Structures are given as structure tokens and as C-alpha cells.
Amino acid sequence: MGENVPRRQSTLDEVAERAGVSRSVASRVLNNAPHVSRAKREAVERAVQQLGYVPNPTARALATRRAGAAALVVAGEDPSIFADPFFAQVIVGASAALEEADLHLMLCLAASDRGRKRVAELLRSRGADGVMLMALREGDPLARVAEDAEMPVVFGGRPVGSAPRWYVDVDNAGGAREATEHLLIRGRTRVATICGRLDTEVGRARYRGYRDAMLAAGLDPYPPQEGDFTEPGGAAAMAALLADHPEVDAVFAANDNMGAGALRTLREAGRPAPADVAVVGFDDLTVARITDPPLTTVHQPIKAFGREMARMLVALINGQDPTPLILPTRLVIRSSA
């Protein structure tokens, strides 16, 4: 009689290979995590049946262990970015919501190769219970790493060229369109724009809103004058606009920092706002109230943005399946336009 040879137990790697997914996605399915697409979940379940895979209970216990923390990851290299009024308000909102859920907030930068590597390791190691990912630029490899992460990920703003399942965003195009329409209603016809980085979705969306308002009014949009969302960047972009298009009589700046820089350049050039060139910003940061003149701007609920990101993440951690959220904007009229 031949000996009965025990059948070798299949591995998680083999399940993932058979299903055509990453190991982390296969792990999420087996741990019944909600943040997996239906197609991938069904592929893993078929592979489990075909291979007769039985999860290791010890490994499953480790995989479902809570870290007691959530990470806010920003694609930036300079730690001072967290002192920027915009990100500071996001942090305040997110921190309050996480405190209610008894989770600590971790702050991470991820623009350099070293920073991305640290965040990728965090995502793979379950060093946090979930991640909020912000300010990704086009082609950032972190978007793919986040897709394969073994923990829930919520995007703050949609990345260029993709539609993540869970995100919180602002009506950037609608707010930019309203800002431009305000300038047109005030009788300005040569309206240019200082847009944000065009390798970000927020930069592109705010330029789209400006462009759509100009076209709807039967006017030709100016080419985008790209800035970097900073006050010096706005000042330099305004100087370039004056050199290339001295006829402009209004400018929509895609955030308040750049709007403040534009006002400074206009004042120094002897073309003050609003008498010569009207200016509208976006965000409604504190700086918009103290510029000379105070800056007309588009208000976005920044603290609510951070709070809703964190609440969405907590819902995912708790096994729920929330829907994406787009927050409204509104125009705040001051003296600059």
C-alpha cells in the first residue's frame, strides 16, 4: 500500500497570483475588509475555492490588530507645509474627528523618494489603521501603493487621472467659475488667471472653472499662468502676466496666497486693485482679510474638509462603506474686486 502523503497547504501568495491581484488585496478580501472592488473580491474568492486555501488564524489575528492611529500623508518635502494656513486648518478638523474615535493623528511628508518609501512601508506594515492622502501630483507612485494597501485609504482631493473609491473634495471648478463670473459681472472683460500646479487635479479643476466662465461669456480665456500656491509664486506669476498681457483688467488667483502675491505686485507696479486690476482668490484664509485691499475670495470649508476625511476613514476602519463627498463653496466679496 502507498503512503498517504499530506496535501501541501496553499499560500496567500498563490491565492493572489491565481486571482491576479497583489498579496495585500488578497489579504484584505480574506479579512473581509470593505475597501476592495467587487471584481477583485470575486477573483480572490474564486482562487480560494480553486486552491482550497485555509487562512492561518494566527496570521489573521495579526492582520486585524488595531494600531490606534491614522496617518495624514501630504505630498510635500518641506515640514513647514503643515504650518501653511490651509493644511493647519485641515489638521485641526481631522484631529478633532479622530479624537472622537480614539485615534491618534500621524503626520507624514511624501514628496522625495525617501519620503515615499517611508509612507509605502507604513501602508504595507499596518503601522496605522488607515491613511488620508493629500496633494498628490500626476503620476505619483503613491496612488498605486495606496490602491494595494492593506488598510483603508481616503483621498483628500482626487488625484489626476483616477477616481478613487473614497475621497473628500471641494467643488473647485464651480468655485472658480463663480469667481470669474463675479469679475465679468463687475464689467471686467480682460480676465486672466494665476492657476495652481497643473500636475494636480485642484490646479486643473480651478483652471477649468475659469475657462468655462470665460467661454460662456463669449470671451477667449487667457493661457494658464502657473503658480505654486505660495505668496512669492503669486507675485512672480502676476509680474509675468503684466509683462506678457499688460491689458489685463482682472485676475482670478487659484488660492489666497497667490492672490496676496498678485496684489503686492500690482501695488508695486502702480496698478492697484481694484481701480486698475481686480483680483479674486480662493480658500478664504486669514490672509484674505488682511491684504491691502482685503481680498474677494471663494470660501471653502477647510476644517470641514479635514473633519470629513477623518470621519470617512473612521467609517472604513469600522467596516462601513461610505460614499465620496464633495463640499460646496461660496463667494465672499471684499474690496479687491
Side-chain angles (χ1 to χ4, degrees):
M1 291 179 60
E3 294 183 7
N4 290 324
V5 179
R7 186 174 181 271
R8 184 182 68 84
Q9 202 47 258
S10 300
T11 67
L12 181 58
D13 287 324
E14 289 170 338
V15 169
E17 183 178 0
R18 175 69 66 91
V21 300
S22 68
R23 188 181 192 279
S24 59
V25 168
S27 175
R28 293 208 305 266
V29 172
L30 293 171
N31 287 302
N32 202 31
H35 46 291
V36 182
S37 70
R38 177 179 295 180
K40 289 181 179 179
R41 186 178 298 278
E42 290 174 351
V44 171
E45 289 170 349
R46 280 196 303 271
V48 166
Q49 274 192 331
Q50 292 166 359
L51 295 171
Y53 175 75
V54 179
N56 182 308
T58 302
R60 172 168 284 184
L62 289 171
T64 56
R65 185 177 57 192
R66 291 288 181 92
L72 174 62
V73 177
V74 177
E77 294 178 341
D78 184 357
S80 66
I81 194 171
F82 289 120
D84 180 285
F86 175 84
F87 286 105
Q89 289 190 50
V90 169
I91 291 168
V92 169
S95 181
L98 292 176
E99 187 175 350
E100 292 174 2
D102 220 13
L103 290 170
H104 296 293
L105 176 63
M106 303 165 56
L107 301 178
C108 305
L109 290 172
S112 65
D113 289 341
R114 183 179 179 185
R116 289 191 193 94
K117 183 178 179 181
R118 285 200 306 269
V119 173
E121 288 171 353
L122 172 71
L123 289 165
R124 295 187 183 108
S125 68
R126 295 190 64 86
D129 295 314
V131 168
M132 296 166 284
L133 200 52
M134 291 187 66
L136 289 186
R137 296 186 188 175
E138 186 175 16
D140 194 315
L142 274 181
R144 179 60 185 271
V145 174
E147 183 181 338
D148 290 338
E150 292 195 27
M151 65 182 74
V153 176
V154 171
F155 285 80
R158 286 159 287 186
V160 174
S162 68
R165 189 168 174 186
W166 295 285
Y167 63 83
V168 176
D169 208 347
V170 170
D171 185 10
N172 290 299
R177 185 170 56 250
E178 185 177 13
T180 308
E181 288 170 349
H182 172 74
L183 291 167
L184 297 170
I185 290 169
R186 291 297 173 97
R188 309 292 171 141
T189 57
R190 301 182 297 278
V191 183
T193 182
I194 299 172
C195 64
R197 294 183 182 275
L198 291 176
D199 60 354
T200 65
E201 179 57 29
V202 63
R204 294 185 183 188
R206 292 180 188 177
Y207 180 72
R208 285 197 303 272
Y210 155 80
R211 181 196 62 201
D212 291 349
M214 293 291 284
L215 291 173
L219 299 171
D220 291 331
Y222 280 73
Q225 182 66 54
E226 190 169 348
D228 62 358
F229 292 120
T230 68
E231 194 272 352
M238 189 70 246
L241 268 177
L242 290 179
D244 295 340
H245 304 284
E247 76 283 1
V248 297
D249 62 6
V251 172
F252 164 58
N255 82 337
D256 289 343
N257 292 331
M258 294 193 298
L263 288 173
R264 175 164 62 86
T265 293
L266 288 167
R267 187 169 56 251
E268 293 171 352
R271 300 191 60 181
D276 197 351
V277 181
V279 180
V280 177
F282 200 115
D283 285 341
D284 197 19
L285 300 173
T286 300
V287 67
R289 296 192 287 274
I290 61 174
T291 53
D292 182 19
L295 185 63
T296 293
T297 188
V298 177
H299 174 86
Q300 64 162 315
I302 304 173
K303 286 182 184 176
F305 181 90
R307 183 175 65 247
E308 295 304 327
M309 268 201 309
R311 285 178 174 174
M312 186 175 291
L313 186 65
V314 170
L316 285 168
I317 292 170
N318 291 334
Q320 301 169 35
D321 188 9
T323 57
L325 179 63
I326 297 180
L327 300 171
T329 61
R330 59 181 171 84
L331 187 68
V332 178
I333 300 175
R334 299 193 178 99
S335 304
S336 69

